[in-house]
Amino acid sequence: MGVYMFWADAVAQKIVETGKFVPYHVDDMFTPSGFAHIGSLRGPLVHDIVYRALLDRGVDVTFTFVLNDFDPVDGLPPELMSLSSELGKPLRLARAPDNAETTFAEYFTNDFKKVLTSLGVSATFLSSWDMYHAGKFDVVIREALDHADLIQDIYQRVSGSKKREKGWLPLQVVCENCGRLGTTRVHGWDGTTVSYTCEPDMVSWAKGCGYNGKTSPFTDSGDPKHHPGKLPWKVDWPAHWKVMGVTIEGAGKDHSSAGGSRDIARELCREVFHIPEPYNLPYEFFLIGGKKMSSSKGLGLKARDLTKVLPAPVGKFLFTRTDYRQAIEIDPTGTMAIPDLFDEYDRCWTAYHTDGDENLSRAFLLSQIHEPPAKNPEMFLPRFRDIANYIQLPNVDLLQKFECVKGLRLTEAEVRCLGERETYARVWVSRFAPDDYKYQLSVKPYENLSLSDIQWDFLRKLAVVWKYAEDPEKLQSELFRLVKEMHLDPKLAFEALYCSVLDKPYGPRAGWLLRKFPKDAVIGRLTLAPKIQVTVREKNVHGIHKPDYFVIDPKVKERYPTVSIGIALIRGVRIAPSDRGLEEEKKKFLNGLAGLTTEELGKYPEIISYRKLYRDMGIDWHSRRPSPEALLRRVALGKGLYTVNTCVDAYNLVVMSHRVSIGAFNADMVQFPAVLRYAGAGDEILLLGDTEPTAYKATELAYYDRVGGYNIDFNYRDAKRTMVTEDTKDIWINVDGILDIAPDMVEHSLNESVQNILRYCGGTLDFTGVVT
């Protein structure tokens, strides 16, 4: 080792040389109270890096990671407030979000374990709940109860807190009446059982039921419904050390402040549990934009998103490179922080491959997820920021470009590296790059965009030109022809184009936009006009009157005067499980949505309209999401798209492109005439994928035929009896316009969905139009 030893190696050396921490057992903990924020990764990664440094010294060492899933639910981020009834319950008894068939703790534990595993954390994962319920804490629970006064004395002596009330005991139990843990106060101990009260006002975040009871604080193997007691955090922490034999464990530096939980734990080790204190690693905070993050308050980038933004080794390098005693601060949004991080990673990569600076080399080596790569000083490493520049330019072949930079053909390893970095460069450009660095397709609503009527008209006509454009140069010529034809100032025309597509009044040539962005995405921006234009554009909508097939109930028209429904009947289709061309179109479309976030979905005026309707119907759109939002949310969460069949997949592309919901149904199973109306009290519908019928509420809008409802909540889910399958021959289409979703938007989505279905399923169009 050199004079300046890498921080993890220095820690490992100190641990071994003291001789006090044998057997070597590294441990860390996490409470799964929500999706872990990125700052939650610092603890497990610091411990993992120290564990690997100890292994490199040739010692036998154990590494465990405890999930504190016996803790109560004591706070919820805004998106989980629908679970407020679970506050106070143990995490392993509280129900999970999204109606998942698991518990609150398991839902978030499984997510965090996947994140840690992807970052190479090789700990053995343990459940605090399981250890308590296996009886492993029975001895330390008795020790804590028998020394309750001493523990209070330690609290007072170390932290200066006031001595608690007489009869206080360091334990909480699960209330046998309401199932809460965080609201119980244990006030009696006879050596065998404890007495407790579930207090209504003990904490501000949950309300106890007032029940008084008596129970054993220990594991009862004969009663599977019995829960042992749970030690409070400051006692539980050193109790874990004794139960597990932990000799090395740190925590955030706030726990090691004078009089804090670490000082209390040290005295509890010495005076109550009679074990040596483990080696401490008081690590500094991870800050984004200068702010510390919180899972329960929903603050900060989520840990699960790290490997969507950075390759796993670079993500781990972010934590490895900095000494645990120094804060890590990064602000990825609107800065060059991520390209700078790649540059530093490359510097350490070079040191490793060329036997350069040992500290840099160790930072690289300890950041690797798997076995370290064989040293290859000749390997060419494409620079991340150069890739980010080139992908924004038309007609640039990245492989050819970097082979030109290298002066030789790229090896297989270099091509893989280039491909991986291109993927992450596209994410950075779309989500984080400074505005003056990128041209990004706008996702902002039009509320604050002020254009004249002729500019809006220009955009609508340009959308038609764009749809059939293939050659950038011809597009440029057509654009100028349109400007001349409309007698429009070219400056005003281009300002309208750039403001609508790029959210800035300037930009590159239109041909560049054609090459860079998916056609459907640009057309979607060009045809998304503000509400003020609706009355002008409705005049051009092709209305239809087909009462033998479809009507809108007068009560619906009275409540929603702007309601408009697109209808179409296509006969003689041939539906297949999939189509190669359609799959390519889906892939291309998804690439255009790279970087989409769930937060952005709530800014689209179409989705806002559907959410307003759901509120009117008394439906919680967090649990039942309108179909355009549900599809785009899958994309934003990285779940991709289902492949259903060529009909459903074809119109789903239109749904996502325009955020206007579309339903296709087996026309042979629809008993016409159909009607959009409020559901009848007591009506039921068997939904796709269900085995039991769902009851309608009288406030819900639905499409009905003479048999009954064939969908629910306007555009949430459809009936099983009218589902489109590969055997379907005739298709009935409904397109849903309501509130700010104007008739021309409905017509545009209707026409495009019909064209897509005819393209991929064949058939003959019987009729199409918009019912207003």
Side-chain angles (χ1 to χ4, degrees):
M1 294 287 178
V3 177
Y4 299 104
M5 190 180 297
F6 187 70
W7 68 263
D9 296 318
V11 169
Q13 182 183 60
K14 185 175 181 180
I15 289 171
V16 172
E17 288 181 350
T18 59
K20 297 179 181 179
F21 303 102
V22 181
Y24 303 109
H25 184 158
V26 179
D27 181 64
D28 191 27
M29 294 181 174
F30 173 75
T31 300
S33 58
F35 286 122
H37 57 71
I38 192 173
S40 300
L41 292 171
R42 186 148 208 201
L45 289 177
V46 162
H47 287 84
D48 176 72
I49 295 160
V50 169
Y51 164 70
R52 291 177 62 177
L54 285 165
L55 286 177
D56 288 347
R57 293 188 71 84
V59 301
D60 291 330
V61 56
T62 299
F63 182 22
T64 54
F65 190 82
V66 175
L67 285 308
N68 288 319
D69 50 0
F70 201 173
D71 287 7
V73 182
D74 61 0
L76 293 168
E79 66 268 22
L80 296 182
M81 288 310 295
S82 60
L83 296 175
S84 58
S85 61
E86 306 303 296
L87 286 164
K89 295 180 183 179
L91 292 163
R92 273 283 285 271
L93 294 182
R95 60 188 172 93
D98 299 334
N99 298 314
E101 294 181 0
T102 184
T103 67
F104 192 101
E106 290 163 326
Y107 185 89
F108 292 110
T109 289
N110 292 338
D111 179 82
F112 197 44
K113 284 167 68 173
K114 288 179 184 177
V115 175
L116 295 181
T117 301
S118 73
L119 293 172
V121 174
S122 53
T124 299
F125 294 100
L126 300 174
S127 158
S128 181
W129 169 278
D130 289 347
M131 288 190 286
Y132 267 96
H133 283 73
K136 294 183 179 180
F137 278 75
D138 285 355
V139 171
V140 289
I141 287 173
R142 181 176 293 278
E143 288 177 326
L145 290 172
D146 288 343
H147 296 86
D149 287 341
L150 174 58
I151 291 172
Q152 286 196 90
D153 290 340
I154 291 171
Y155 277 14
Q156 186 178 33
R157 183 175 75 242
V158 174
S159 68
S161 62
K162 294 181 180 179
K163 192 166 182 176
R164 301 196 184 195
E165 72 275 11
K166 185 178 181 181
W168 172 85
L169 292 165
L171 195 74
Q172 287 186 289
V173 296
V174 178
C175 176
E176 296 156 291
N177 182 53
C178 70
R180 286 182 172 79
L181 170 71
T183 55
T184 60
R185 180 175 64 87
V186 172
H187 46 70
W189 162 240
D190 60 11
T192 304
T193 60
V194 292
S195 301
Y196 70 92
T197 299
C198 185
E199 297 189 350
D201 302 314
M202 180 175 168
V203 293
S204 60
W205 37 266
K207 191 172 183 65
C209 66
Y211 180 77
N212 290 289
K214 181 178 283 191
T215 186
S216 168
F218 308 121
T219 302
D220 185 348
S221 58
D223 182 3
K225 294 184 179 180
H226 174 76
H227 301 294
K230 164 75 169 63
L231 295 167
W233 150 244
K234 291 179 182 178
V235 182
D236 174 88
W237 193 17
H240 269 86
W241 297 340
K242 179 169 184 175
V243 168
M244 297 169 59
V246 174
T247 56
I248 303 160
E249 180 167 348
K253 70 165 189 178
D254 49 333
H255 293 291
S256 291
S257 59
S261 52
R262 185 74 188 206
D263 285 353
I264 290 173
R266 181 183 304 111
E267 295 306 305
L268 291 174
C269 286
R270 187 171 64 86
E271 299 184 42
V272 177
F273 298 125
H274 307 294
I275 60 170
E277 179 199 5
Y279 186 89
N280 190 15
L281 293 162
Y283 51 84
E284 267 281 3
F285 296 131
F286 184 101
L287 307 173
I288 287 188
K291 295 179 180 179
K292 185 185 174 188
M293 290 151 289
S294 167
S295 294
S296 62
K297 294 180 181 178
L299 300 176
L301 187 70
K302 291 181 174 63
R304 68 204 310 251
D305 296 326
L306 180 63
T307 51
K308 298 176 185 177
V309 177
L310 297 169
V314 181
K316 190 170 186 177
F317 176 80
L318 177 61
F319 295 85
T320 307
R321 182 72 181 95
T322 304
D323 190 304
Y324 75 98
R325 294 164 295 186
Q326 298 172 347
I328 298 175
E329 184 165 358
I330 187 169
D331 190 356
T333 304
T335 71
M336 299 299 287
I338 287 178
D340 290 346
L341 177 66
F342 271 93
D343 282 350
E344 181 64 9
Y345 179 84
D346 292 355
R347 190 163 74 100
C348 295
W349 180 95
T350 301
Y352 169 78
H353 282 278
T354 60
D355 294 321
D357 183 280
E358 191 167 355
N359 277 295
L360 300 181
S361 178
R362 283 294 282 169
F364 171 81
L365 190 62
L366 290 172
S367 299
Q368 300 313 294
I369 309 304
H370 306 295
E371 291 297 316
K375 292 186 177 183
N376 179 10
E378 302 301 319
M379 183 174 173
F380 171 75
L381 199 59
R383 194 180 184 194
F384 179 84
R385 71 180 65 220
D386 292 341
I387 297 171
N389 274 320
Y390 292 137
I391 61 175
Q392 297 189 83
L393 302 176
N395 304 318
V396 173
D397 183 304
L398 277 183
L399 180 59
Q400 291 180 3
K401 183 67 179 178
F402 279 99
E403 285 184 337
C404 180
V405 173
K406 179 184 178 183
L408 295 168
R409 291 180 63 85
L410 298 190
T411 65
E412 287 186 14
E414 291 165 348
V415 171
R416 285 196 302 271
C417 179
L418 175 61
E420 180 183 68
R421 291 194 168 193
E422 178 188 357
T423 298
Y424 287 99
R426 293 189 183 280
V427 173
W428 178 72
V429 169
S430 66
R431 292 182 57 186
F432 301 107
D435 287 340
D436 58 359
Y437 185 90
K438 63 182 179 179
Y439 288 120
Q440 180 181 357
L441 188 68
S442 175
V443 296
K444 293 182 179 179
Y446 272 120
E447 281 90 347
N448 299 321
L449 185 58
S450 178
L451 297 178
S452 66
D453 286 352
I454 193 170
Q455 285 177 302
W456 289 120
D457 195 32
F458 166 74
L459 292 180
R460 287 194 297 276
K461 291 177 179 178
L462 179 60
V464 177
V465 172
W466 208 281
K467 182 171 184 177
Y468 298 102
E470 297 296 339
D471 180 78
E473 292 304 320
K474 288 184 179 179
L475 173 63
Q476 200 77 14
S477 298
E478 283 294 298
L479 193 153
F480 279 107
R481 180 195 60 76
L482 181 59
V483 169
K484 185 176 180 180
E485 181 182 284
M486 296 182 65
H487 304 288
L488 179 62
D489 183 341
K491 181 180 178 181
L492 294 178
F494 284 103
E495 179 187 71
L497 170 62
Y498 297 135
C499 285
S500 62
V501 176
L502 300 176
D503 195 37
K504 55 184 70 180
Y506 56 86
R509 287 166 57 89
W512 185 89
L513 296 175
L514 180 65
R515 287 188 179 277
K516 180 172 176 61
F517 300 121
K519 261 189 187 180
D520 288 346
V522 175
I523 292 170
R525 293 300 302 171
L526 297 177
T527 56
L528 180 65
K531 188 165 73 172
I532 191 171
Q533 298 297 319
V534 167
T535 55
V536 175
R537 290 151 53 206
E538 280 180 2
K539 296 176 183 178
N540 299 320
V541 170
H542 172 61
I544 194 169
H545 182 65
K546 287 275 188 180
D548 291 342
Y549 281 93
F550 181 79
V551 295
I552 301 173
D553 186 273
K555 291 181 180 178
V556 178
K557 290 183 181 180
E558 181 181 354
R559 179 68 182 86
Y560 301 103
T562 62
V563 64
S564 61
I565 305 299
I567 61 172
L569 183 61
I570 304 176
R571 298 191 186 277
V573 297
R574 297 176 302 282
I575 300 174
S578 63
D579 177 272
R580 183 179 298 176
L582 180 55
E583 291 303 311
E584 285 297 317
E585 190 173 348
K586 286 164 60 178
K587 182 179 179 181
K588 185 177 179 181
F589 182 81
L590 288 176
N591 288 338
L593 292 178
L596 179 69
T597 66
T598 55
E599 290 79 9
E600 290 168 348
L601 297 183
K603 300 176 182 178
Y604 289 121
E606 301 88 354
I607 288 176
I608 291 170
S609 288
Y610 290 135
R611 286 181 178 181
K612 287 179 181 176
L613 172 65
Y614 274 41
R615 282 196 292 270
D616 282 356
M617 295 190 296
I619 301 300
D620 180 7
W621 57 263
H622 294 90
S623 57
R624 287 187 180 185
R625 295 186 185 273
S627 60
E629 181 175 3
L631 287 169
L632 289 168
R633 184 176 173 83
R634 282 189 61 83
V635 175
L637 294 174
K639 296 180 179 180
L641 294 176
Y642 296 116
T643 294
V644 182
N645 56 50
T646 49
C647 172
V648 176
D649 293 355
Y651 75 74
N652 272 346
L653 281 176
V654 183
V655 172
M656 292 186 293
S657 179
H658 302 304
R659 284 86 59 188
V660 175
S661 59
I662 301 167
F665 309 91
N666 186 338
D668 295 329
M669 299 303 296
V670 178
Q671 299 298 308
F672 296 104
V675 58
L676 176 66
R677 68 174 178 83
Y678 285 104
D683 288 356
E684 292 185 333
I685 179 173
L686 181 60
L687 296 168
L688 259 172
D690 288 358
T691 56
E692 297 294 330
T694 296
Y696 283 107
K697 293 193 297 186
T699 55
E700 293 176 286
L701 277 184
Y703 291 106
Y704 272 69
D705 63 3
R706 286 188 288 119
V707 175
Y710 59 85
N711 89 334
I712 191 170
D713 295 337
F714 198 47
N715 59 8
Y716 171 53
R717 287 174 65 189
D718 299 331
K720 188 173 183 178
R721 70 178 173 91
T722 55
M723 68 184 288
V724 172
T725 69
E726 292 165 43
D727 297 324
T728 299
K729 301 304 180 188
D730 300 332
I731 294 174
W732 171 245
I733 297 174
N734 293 145
V735 181
D736 312 316
I738 200 88
L739 298 173
D740 292 343
I741 301 172
D744 69 323
M745 298 165 70
V746 171
E747 183 179 50
H748 189 77
S749 293
L750 175 66
N751 292 341
E752 201 164 311
S753 62
V754 167
Q755 291 169 12
N756 264 19
I757 292 172
L758 291 174
R759 178 182 176 188
Y760 290 109
C761 304
T764 303
L765 178 63
D766 195 329
F767 61 81
T768 180
V770 178
V771 179
T772 59

